[in-house]
Amino acid sequence: DAGVIQSPRHEVTEMGQEVTLRCKPISGHDYLFWYRQTMMRGLELLIYFNNNVPIDDSGMPEDRFSAKMPNASFSTLKIQPSEPRDSAVYFCASSHSVGRQETQYFGPGTRLLVL
Amino acid sequence: GDSVTQMEGPVTLSEEAFLTINCTYTATGYPSLFWYVQYPGEGLQLLLKATKADDKGSNKGFEATYRKETTSFHLEKGSVQVSDSAVYFCALTPTSGTYKYIFGTGTRLKVLA
C-alpha cells in the first residue's frame, strides 16, 4: 500500500490567498484526521471524518478553515483567506477505526508558509 | 482534561549511549499509551504501544512500560544509533469518549557518530 498521500508537500503563498491541501487516505480506512503542527502549539487535531462524514470539527481554529471529504479516497483542507499565523505543517492521517488501541497512519505532511 | 507531558529536548547522545525519554500523563481510568516517531521530512509513525497497566511495548530495540502507579510511559533504548535521530511523541487515547489522540509536544533526539 502506498500509505497516506498528501499534496502539495510544500506551499508558499501570500496572505489573503486561498490554500487547498489534499489527502488520499489508505484504502479501506474509515477514519480520516487532519492535524496541524507548530512549534508553539505542537500537534493539534483539527477535524476528523468517519465514512466521509465530519464527526468532530472542534479543533478547527476559525471559519477561515474548512474541510471536506467527498468520497472515501479524497479529502481537502481549505484556508480562505490565509494568514501568516496559519504557517505550519499540516498532516493527514487515517485509521481503520477509532478504538483505544487503534494506530493512526500519517502522511508526510504539507509544509505551509504564508507570507 | 487528559494530557501528556514529555521532557524538553533536544536530547543529544553519542552513538551506543543509553536513551531515556520521559513521558507522564494525566487521565482518568486506563488510557492506551503510544510512542510515535517522526523522522526528518516524514509523518509520524507508530513505534510502540501499551494498552493496560504493566504492559511493555517494544519495537526496534525501544521499550516502554505502562506504569499506572507513576502515570508514566518512559521510552528507553539500550544503545542508540545515528539513524534513531528523530522527534519522539508520547500520546494517549482516553478511556472513554471519542478516542481522540492526545499528543505530547515531542522530544527531539540527535545521535552523534
Side-chain angles (χ1 to χ4, degrees):
Chain A
D1 199 322
V4 175
I5 299 172
Q6 291 187 246
S7 65
R9 292 294 307 274
H10 302 274
E11 178 80 35
V12 181
T13 190
E14 292 189 346
M15 182 174 63
Q17 296 299 305
E18 177 181 293
V19 175
T20 300
L21 311 181
R22 297 173 175 80
C23 174
K24 175 179 169 56
I26 292 173
S27 177
H29 281 188
D30 295 329
Y31 290 81
L32 183 139
F33 307 81
W34 282 101
Y35 290 90
R36 178 173 67 177
Q37 184 181 41
T38 61
M39 290 293 292
M40 292 298 296
R41 301 173 67 90
L43 201 60
E44 304 172 276
L45 177 65
L46 301 178
I47 185 171
Y48 80 92
F49 295 82
N50 174 214
N51 290 326
N52 314 336
V53 176
I55 302 301
D56 184 346
D57 65 355
S58 59
M60 296 286 263
E62 45 195 281
D63 292 345
R64 298 184 296 106
F65 285 69
S66 62
K68 294 182 179 179
M69 192 165 186
N71 58 62
S73 59
F74 184 65
S75 177
T76 60
L77 178 67
K78 185 175 293 187
I79 308 172
Q80 167 63 20
S82 58
E83 296 182 3
R85 59 194 170 118
D86 301 331
S87 298
V89 181
Y90 291 81
F91 289 104
C92 176
S94 69
S95 69
H96 185 63
S97 75
V98 285
R100 288 180 54 243
Q101 304 176 30
E102 195 68 26
T103 299
Q104 291 189 11
Y105 296 83
F106 284 74
T110 295
R111 186 174 297 274
L112 173 65
L113 178 61
V114 183
L115 303 174
Chain B
D2 297 349
S3 65
V4 174
T5 302
Q6 289 183 237
M7 63 187 288
E8 290 282 332
V11 174
T12 303
L13 296 173
S14 298
E15 206 164 24
E16 299 184 2
F18 185 87
L19 168 70
T20 300
I21 299 178
N22 290 338
C23 171
T24 58
Y25 67 89
T26 301
T28 55
Y30 290 83
S32 292
L33 301 173
F34 304 79
W35 278 101
Y36 278 76
V37 59
Q38 182 180 24
Y39 296 105
E42 299 183 11
L44 282 70
Q45 56 185 272
L46 179 68
L47 181 59
L48 53 83
K49 66 181 178 184
T51 58
K52 60 182 187 293
D54 300 324
D55 264 4
K56 177 185 285 188
S58 61
N59 186 25
K60 299 181 181 180
F62 291 88
E63 293 183 339
T65 301
Y66 189 140
R67 301 286 188 199
K68 179 67 174 173
E69 63 275 15
T70 55
T71 62
S72 66
F73 193 55
H74 303 322
L75 182 68
E76 297 182 337
K77 187 175 185 183
S79 176
V80 293
Q81 305 299 312
V82 173
S83 57
D84 294 326
S85 298
V87 181
Y88 292 82
F89 292 88
C90 186
L92 67 81
T93 53
T95 305
S96 61
T98 60
Y99 305 119
K100 290 192 293 188
Y101 271 73
I102 296 171
F103 284 92
T105 53
T107 301
R108 183 176 299 278
L109 169 66
K110 179 182 288 188
V111 180
L112 305 176

